[in-house]
Amino acid sequence: MGSFFSVQYMVDSFPILASYLPVTLFITLVSGVLGIFLGMGLAVIRVKEIPGLNLLTRVFISFIRSTPFLVQLFVVYFGIPELLQKMGLDVNELPPMLFILVIFVLHVGAYGAEILRSSILAVAPGEKEAAASLGMTSVQVYRRVILPQALVLSIPPLLNEIISTLKSTALIFNVGIVDMMRQADLMGGNSQRYLELYVDVAILYGILIFALTVAGRQVENHFNVARRARKTRLKEVALNE
């Protein structure tokens, strides 16, 4: 094998592993967006305590939050296709990535629901009362007033959840999906230089997480500035009156 660590091999392997970044980014972005929308719906159900649905939502969130993600991945990736086949449905035409996205969306949705629920409860009651006094329906109050503010309040914890999701994508190689980790494993089997390859993967994940963190802070600062400007305008209007 030669020397213990080959910098040249690490450098040469970096662009090869980087070419699999789209797989990681696709899973992270799609599951992040869809998961947040799912989390919104679950959070509203929890806050409104809708009979029947509230109990199912609590059970679902508890299950996701109390079981290892790898177990959930195996259950969905191997279990759901087998269940569908026993029901007489043909799953051979379905792409494996679909089942990967399902579990990631459910995972983000469950954690996002609790984050958004606490943010919804943090919205000032006066905001809801003011919107209701304008004749808005309950749906309009949530869509136009409560959820937008709750989303702004929840940006930091949601960003942490997206970063956690990004890290969790490293586990999909366990079910045969070829991503950066899987490619590193395959290349390491041929070269027996796993260390260099895993260092490359660590660097790539570090770059992605740094970029997400910077983008998240930019978004958070943008909305914080907008909120302060809005409050200033409201105070000016109140003083003029």
Side-chain angles (χ1 to χ4, degrees), residues 172-190:
I172 65 173
F173 84 96
N174 287 285
V175 293
I177 299 296
V178 181
D179 67 331
M180 292 187 297
M181 279 296 295
R182 179 60 174 168
Q183 183 61 24
D185 191 55
L186 293 172
M187 292 172 64
N190 293 326

